[in-house]
Amino acid sequence: MCIDSKKAKEILKNLKLRPTIQRIAITETLIKQKEIHVTAYLLKRMLAENKVFISRATIYNNLNELSNKGFLKKVLVKKGKMWFDTNLSKHHHFYDEEEETLADVAEKEIKFSKFPKIPNGKRIKSVDIVINIKKI
Amino acid sequence: MCIDSKKAKEILKNLKLRPTIQRIAITETLIKQKEIHVTAYLLKRMLAENKVFISRATIYNNLNELSNKGFLKKVLVKKGKMWFDTNLSKHHHFYDEEEETLADVAEKEIKFSKFPKIPNGKRIKSVDIVINIKKI
DNA sequence: TAGTAATTTAGATTCATTCTAATGATCTAA
DNA sequence: TTAGATCATTAGAATGAATCTAAATTACTA
Ligand SMILES: [Mn+2]
Ligand SMILES: [Mn+2]
Ligand SMILES: [Zn+2]
Ligand SMILES: [Zn+2]
């Protein structure tokens, strides 16, 4: 257990989630870096590298629970694989398919001078901007 | 066979794809409306409503081939389901998750007054903007 | 019209994700 | 503290979209 273990427990307490060994380890991993983008598989691998072995179902259960509680955001950039993001601010992404990496674009880095009219009877839920990049 | 059958054959000829019964029916369905957004499942259902029964593999083979040949664009708006789009112009989308519908946003409807700096050594491949909407 | 190359197909396979239901851990109230 | 209740974890099965396989059929070309 590293320093972050305490912070992790604190976070779980605030989210009213029982501080199980698995949840603490997952949360610790997520807060170790200031911001992180992971898939379920990536997170499982990161934990395994630290000799923490958590079942697939638990990884998914907790990523989903942490998302539902507002501690993570879901980001979709490619068919069939969900990314989870600890950057909770409204923001956008660079996605590098070749390197399978996601990077943040702060909301203030994008400004519109023209934006489409929303269809009648509808309202905006969210605006997702993905800038797909590749090596020159 | 409706009027569009001839057009469909013409299109396939230009794309250098053999005009099989299945391909003609698929292409006909896609050009019946000026613009169309379909998933593989939706297309299969549309064909079945017209008493044309085509196997799943063939639906996918042809949607992918038509995409590779540049007759369709792929659009990703939700985890795990690919949409195919006959609007070939560069454009963006409204996505209504409640109604599972995709609608076009012309490129000229969106203008940026500020856009992020692309990371060194990288270039933009594409910019995907999805405006998620829901009923008021 | 024969030979070959492309196409279609049912069913198997893959991959990410969710579900199931049995086991184990944590919490709470007495 | 502990009993009981609730919640969490897990292996493995199930799901759903998409792809693969390999055998049968169809379309093209000489
Ligand atoms: Mn630690
Ligand atoms: Mn017809
Ligand atoms: Zn992010
Ligand atoms: Zn479109």
Side-chain angles (χ1 to χ4, degrees), chain A residues 18-59:
Chain A
R18 290 186 181 177
T20 62
I21 291 166
Q22 295 85 347
R23 281 219 264 247
I24 292 165
I26 288 171
T27 308
E28 246 187 281
T29 304
L30 292 174
I31 63 177
K32 213 167 265 168
Q33 300 165 53
K34 187 141 32 49
E35 276 160 21
I36 195 175
H37 299 94
V38 286
T39 60
Y41 171 78
L42 266 175
L43 176 59
K44 197 168 192 293
R45 229 167 36 68
M46 289 171 77
L47 288 158
E49 275 164 17
N50 262 52
K51 308 270 176 288
V52 179
F53 304 96
I54 299 182
S55 76
R56 191 176 4 126
T58 300
I59 296 279

Side-chain angles (χ1 to χ4, degrees), chain A:
Chain A
M1 276 296 129
C2 63
I3 281 163
D4 293 325
S5 167
K6 217 167 177 173
K7 283 188 201 166
K9 286 181 191 163
E10 195 63 28
I11 288 166
L12 293 172
K13 191 171 197 181
N14 291 336
L15 297 175
K16 300 194 199 321
L17 291 171
R18 290 186 181 177
T20 62
I21 291 166
Q22 295 85 347
R23 281 219 264 247
I24 292 165
I26 288 171
T27 308
E28 246 187 281
T29 304
L30 292 174
I31 63 177
K32 213 167 265 168
Q33 300 165 53
K34 187 141 32 49
E35 276 160 21
I36 195 175
H37 299 94
V38 286
T39 60
Y41 171 78
L42 266 175
L43 176 59
K44 197 168 192 293
R45 229 167 36 68
M46 289 171 77
L47 288 158
E49 275 164 17
N50 262 52
K51 308 270 176 288
V52 179
F53 304 96
I54 299 182
S55 76
R56 191 176 4 126
T58 300
I59 296 279
Y60 278 106
N61 286 345
N62 283 295
L63 285 173
N64 285 325
E65 246 159 347
L66 289 170
S67 300
N68 294 340
K69 297 271 185 175
F71 181 71
L72 289 176
K73 286 177 80 166
K74 293 183 174 186
V75 180
L76 177 66
V77 286
K78 195 187 171 183
K79 179 198 58 173
K81 204 176 254 176
M82 187 59 80
W83 288 78
F84 296 85
D85 188 345
T86 51
N87 181 347
L88 296 175
S89 70
K90 212 199 261 185
H91 67 285
H92 304 291
H93 293 96
F94 286 122
Y95 178 56
D96 188 327
E97 180 160 25
E98 293 164 340
E99 302 190 3
E100 281 205 72
T101 53
L102 253 195
D104 284 343
V105 174
E107 197 192 22
K108 68 176 179 6
E109 293 301 314
I110 295 185
K111 287 223 172 68
F112 296 102
S113 52
K114 193 171 186 191
F115 200 76
K117 187 189 161 292
I118 305 309
N120 284 336
K122 302 289 175 181
R123 63 183 189 77
I124 294 180
K125 208 174 103 189
S126 63
V127 177
D128 298 329
I129 303 180
V130 177
I131 304 172
N132 296 98
I133 57 175
K134 59 187 299 188
K135 66 170 172 297
I136 288 170

Side-chain angles (χ1 to χ4, degrees), chain B residues 1-5 25 28 32 50 52:
Chain B
M1 276 296 129
C2 64
I3 280 164
D4 293 326
S5 167
E28 247 187 280
K32 214 166 264 166
N50 262 54
V52 178

